[in-house]
Amino acid sequence: MDEGKCKEASSKYHMIGGHGPNSYSLNSEYQKQLLVSAEDLIKELTHEHLNIDENPSLITHNNTFRIADFGCSIGPNTFFAVENIISAIENKSNQNNSDIPEFQVFFNDLIDNDCNTLFRNIPKSRQYFVAAVPGSFYGQLFPKATLHFAHCSTALHWLSKIPKKVTETSSISWNKGRIHYSGAANEVKKAYSDQYEEDMDVFLSARGKELVNGGLMVLVVLCFPDGVLSSDSSIGVAFDIFGSCLKDMVKIGKISEEKMDSFNLPFYYPWPSEMKALIEANGLFHIEKIAKLASPMRSKPDAQVLTYHLRAVIGGLIEQHFGNGVVEELFTNHLEKLSRSPILVDDKYWKETNYFIYLKRKDG
Amino acid sequence: MDEGKCKEASSKYHMIGGHGPNSYSLNSEYQKQLLVSAEDLIKELTHEHLNIDENPSLITHNNTFRIADFGCSIGPNTFFAVENIISAIENKSNQNNSDIPEFQVFFNDLIDNDCNTLFRNIPKSRQYFVAAVPGSFYGQLFPKATLHFAHCSTALHWLSKIPKKVTETSSISWNKGRIHYSGAANEVKKAYSDQYEEDMDVFLSARGKELVNGGLMVLVVLCFPDGVLSSDSSIGVAFDIFGSCLKDMVKIGKISEEKMDSFNLPFYYPWPSEMKALIEANGLFHIEKIAKLASPMRSKPDAQVLTYHLRAVIGGLIEQHFGNGVVEELFTNHLEKLSRSPILVDDKYWKETNYFIYLKRKDG
């Protein structure tokens, strides 16, 4: 059990639990829309690539089919995702005149994810068995060859940790005065991409162990088109704005400069070509499909909605690093600055695209 | 998924979470001592009855061994219990020169159990994969034939619900002025034992589905010796004292008589002969052993410790039924009355005995 890595990540990185106005459960419509976009792709590709007859190990001798959602948060999106997968398997079984298996669904997220809320959100009418698996997905979480379908949507941009170099004042990768690699020196970007490369290999190797031969995996990954820089995107601009709000707090003495300089966001957004190369380098999976998904929210960005969304995702990180006293003021300031930002009116900033990646575990 | 029953039980029955002075985690030494008593028995019997060679289905083709602890609460006792089972399997595997399997451990308790605390308590140094399974164990919680070892300690005295008749004012089983069948009319006891019979059959049938042929199950069940009445035991006396504290609150107008009359404790303590008959009537398990366990605490009962223990177990039920306003006063009053009770000084009241029951799933 890769406790070192688990522990490092779990102490900080989780969504805001409960059902309040800043909770993830009320601010996850974006992620939901992505799952809707992926729905038909999952059905089609699963019909094509779930080879029950050719590969009997795909369904165990007990006729149990195990699905895991990695980085599930607290619902309801995770239920939508796994129920879509179940429906795809059922369709395939019906068309093959095979018995429909019993489904066991595992919901994974970090130890500090609000599992109590997740459990209360599980649909009462479900037709599957459930379990929650705590721990970082950058490590093996299941016994060897016991999963049949893995799913991980809009979670892989979370790095396992902040690259060490970007917080070391003596390093050429020190990210002084910024909170992300957007707009920073190349060395900072390189430190982030090195960490991403390492994390993706750990992720793919862990899933490679857990999945049976022929097992399937869907990843939904937020990317920038090949060659596009983070700093030219709405995400990069929003992070810059948030960074400037922190600087404002430094100016009025509410937080120290050192405190600000030691804060960085643990997010990385790869290019699709980069993602493809990392999967190929890992070598455990066939790439069956890489496709763009329609981008939710692009039609009508709203400063309040975007700020709520940002707060649901990074509010916990901010509070952990800077304390509770500054959170409200920071996001109020962010909303005000964001409202005057060109990203609300100019389409050219909306370049980030979610990629749907469908993988199949190679035999071995 | 037997949602009706799950929902009914889950809304009320769970230990007090967290780490406070009234928490289960600080007041579960009694249960811990029982697990220690059971430790050697589990090792010996597992050596005798885990027939890996005779019954290959006992270890799946993937070499994963699945253990579930039903009614696990929030730790640390559950970790002690499952690690003892793992150690027993490892010993057996070593003696057989078999490969040691990978272990996957499932912690089960009701949906409202504090899973966040459970996850934080999981030992960092563990050598097994973990998952939590929410829901009432009076219903199937795992796919068919996917478990190898089930464990349930000091949890089966919790009924799935209060027998309906004991709260119906028109019924001859109406339990007016009392909170338990201890010392009540025979009809009240009968309503409780009917409910227990129904619950045990549901429990054994569910585990019978989940366990592989030859799969093993340990139950630790609090019983009275054959023929001994609950009312002659320290448990019965303590419940009577608690009932009298509720009556005191009725007298001073802090709670209504109706409110008190509608409250009953969902606990049943069978005789060993009754337990044996229920397992035989169910028919799915061989009884390999029924043995008494040494009784913790018997040597030196302490009113404060007993009251803390009672509060950790029933505090949640009291608060749910009567509101938070009366809890402190009730348990203070209980402590005072208990301090003057003969059960603290007279050994004759300490008749309850925990029975260790070792079962093996019949082939079928």
Side-chain angles (χ1 to χ4, degrees), chain B residues 40-337:
Chain B
D40 289 342
L41 277 170
I42 289 179
K43 291 227 162 93
E44 284 162 31
L45 288 159
T46 300
H47 181 73
E48 185 177 350
H49 295 291
L50 181 78
N51 299 326
I52 295 174
D53 294 335
E54 291 168 35
N55 191 343
S57 87
L58 204 51
I59 306 278
T60 69
H61 66 292
N62 290 322
N63 204 26
T64 298
F65 194 95
R66 295 191 179 86
I67 298 165
D69 187 28
F70 293 90
C72 65
S73 192
I74 53 173
N77 288 342
T78 187
F79 310 119
F80 180 87
V82 300
E83 288 173 15
N84 182 39
I85 293 167
I86 287 173
S87 162
I89 311 297
E90 285 176 339
N91 286 351
K92 173 84 180 189
S93 301
N94 282 333
Q95 282 157 3
N96 276 28
N97 288 320
S98 312
D99 286 345
I100 289 178
E102 288 191 293
F103 294 98
Q104 188 173 30
V105 175
F106 295 88
F107 299 103
N108 158 258
D109 213 314
L110 293 167
I111 287 178
D112 285 346
N113 186 47
D114 184 356
C115 186
N116 292 342
T117 300
L118 171 72
F119 280 172
R120 283 180 205 124
N121 286 343
I122 292 175
K124 300 282 177 283
S125 60
R126 72 183 182 279
Q127 293 298 316
Y128 47 90
F129 296 100
V130 297
V133 172
S136 168
F137 52 51
Y138 295 122
Q140 193 181 341
L141 294 166
F142 294 87
K144 197 170 177 314
T146 55
L147 288 184
H148 303 93
F149 205 120
H151 180 267
C152 181
S153 182
T154 48
L156 281 168
H157 55 285
W158 289 83
L159 297 172
S160 70
K161 61 184 176 207
I162 301 295
K164 205 173 163 198
K165 286 180 188 168
V166 305
T167 57
E168 286 174 343
T169 56
S170 61
S171 166
I172 53 161
S173 305
W174 184 34
N175 196 21
K176 180 167 172 54
R178 296 193 164 272
I179 61 170
H180 193 244
Y181 65 83
S182 281
N186 285 342
E187 288 81 2
V188 175
K189 166 82 191 284
K190 178 71 167 61
Y192 269 83
S193 66
D194 285 352
Q195 184 63 51
Y196 191 73
E197 184 179 333
E198 185 188 316
D199 284 346
M200 273 306 296
D201 193 56
V202 170
F203 178 88
L204 292 168
S205 298
R207 302 299 82 77
K209 282 186 190 137
E210 297 160 354
L211 283 160
V212 299
N213 289 343
L216 302 168
M217 177 150 72
V218 166
L219 308 178
V220 175
V221 181
L222 188 56
C223 297
F224 295 120
D226 286 351
V228 168
L229 297 179
S230 169
S231 52
D232 293 331
S233 76
S234 63
I235 292 183
V237 172
F239 289 167
D240 263 1
I241 291 172
F242 199 83
S244 79
C245 297
L246 282 168
K247 275 187 184 162
D248 293 346
M249 301 290 264
V250 172
K251 274 181 212 151
I252 60 173
K254 284 213 173 169
I255 58 177
S256 73
E257 194 167 4
E258 274 179 339
K259 199 78 182 160
M260 194 215 149
D261 285 341
S262 62
F263 180 76
N264 288 275
L265 291 170
F267 303 133
Y268 184 79
Y269 308 97
W271 292 331
S273 60
E274 195 181 351
M275 197 68 203
K276 188 161 176 276
L278 292 175
I279 296 166
E280 284 168 351
N282 172 268
L284 295 174
F285 292 89
H286 295 289
I287 300 176
E288 305 293 359
K289 182 94 172 180
I290 298 190
K292 281 187 190 182
L293 289 176
S295 285
M297 278 199 203
R298 183 172 281 182
S299 54
K300 196 178 146 201
D302 175 277
Q304 181 66 74
V305 171
L306 292 172
T307 302
Y308 273 141
H309 177 62
L310 186 71
R311 184 166 177 172
V313 176
I314 74 167
L317 293 174
I318 300 295
E319 192 172 328
Q320 189 124 12
H321 191 86
F322 296 103
N324 188 26
V326 297
V327 175
E328 203 58 46
E329 193 174 341
L330 265 173
F331 283 97
T332 304
N333 194 5
H334 178 81
L335 172 59
E336 200 180 298
K337 289 190 177 194

